[in-house]
Amino acid sequence: DLMLKSLPDLILQPTHEEHLLELFAFAREHKIPLTARGAGTWGYGGAVPTRGGIVIDLSLMDTVDVNPGTMQLTVGPGARFLDIQRELERYGLDLSTIASGKGGTLIGWMATGGMGIGTFRHGPVKNQIVSLRVITPEGKILDLRAEDPETANFLSTEGQMGIIVKATVHVGQRP
């Protein structure tokens, strides 16, 4: 007998920020719990609802944009490591910090701590962040720089404080 309802009432797959803003407004108005999900690879159940509600599957927000001139990468919350690596390879670039597993998303990894086997040399992923764009449950859009104190509110908090809809990180030359 489970003491929690681990199945959602609904799963939605937004493709734009506007969809998230509308979803947050609807959930606030009707007091519906939301659970954010990237690739669903985290082993600690972060993307499992505990009271039904709506799972926000971010997999369709999977943009990957490489700027070799600035040595920066900008991704959406659904961008998986495998796709990111493939795109970076085209420019001879690589992530400075990588997760232990390659099936997850970079932003999901940020939201769950950004540590792993590939963080020994350059430290956690927070050390490579240039900027984050976040939508809070209140419907605010925040454009944050790495040095802004509020940035820490969205790292290691599993999406509870808001959904990172875009992240820009420093990348390096592929070894």
Side-chain angles (χ1 to χ4, degrees), residues 101-120:
K102 300 292 187 278
T105 64
L106 178 57
I107 287 179
W109 190 47
M110 289 175 180
T112 58
M115 293 293 292
I117 292 172
T119 62
F120 292 121

Side-chain angles (χ1 to χ4, degrees), residues 58-169:
L58 299 163
S59 62
L60 298 179
M61 297 178 75
D62 59 353
T63 56
V64 178
D65 181 38
V66 179
N67 186 330
T70 62
M71 302 286 283
Q72 294 180 353
L73 165 75
T74 302
V75 297
R80 292 178 180 259
F81 281 107
L82 289 171
D83 296 325
I84 292 168
Q85 290 293 140
R86 197 172 303 128
E87 192 63 23
L88 286 170
E89 284 174 8
R90 294 179 54 213
Y91 301 95
L93 301 174
D94 206 355
L95 292 168
S96 298
T97 299
I98 57 171
S100 303
K102 300 292 187 278
T105 64
L106 178 57
I107 287 179
W109 190 47
M110 289 175 180
T112 58
M115 293 293 292
I117 292 172
T119 62
F120 292 121
R121 183 170 187 177
H122 297 285
V125 72
K126 70 179 181 179
N127 295 359
Q128 282 77 51
I129 293 174
V130 175
S131 63
L132 300 177
R133 183 173 176 91
V134 179
I135 298 178
T136 69
E138 297 80 28
K140 292 182 185 175
I141 297 175
L142 305 176
D143 286 305
L144 303 169
R145 295 169 297 145
E147 60 271 13
D148 291 336
E150 299 91 346
T151 299
N153 295 338
F154 306 100
L155 305 174
S156 301
T157 56
E158 302 172 30
Q160 295 179 60
M161 305 296 286
I163 293 178
I164 303 169
V165 293
K166 183 172 19 174
T168 300
V169 297

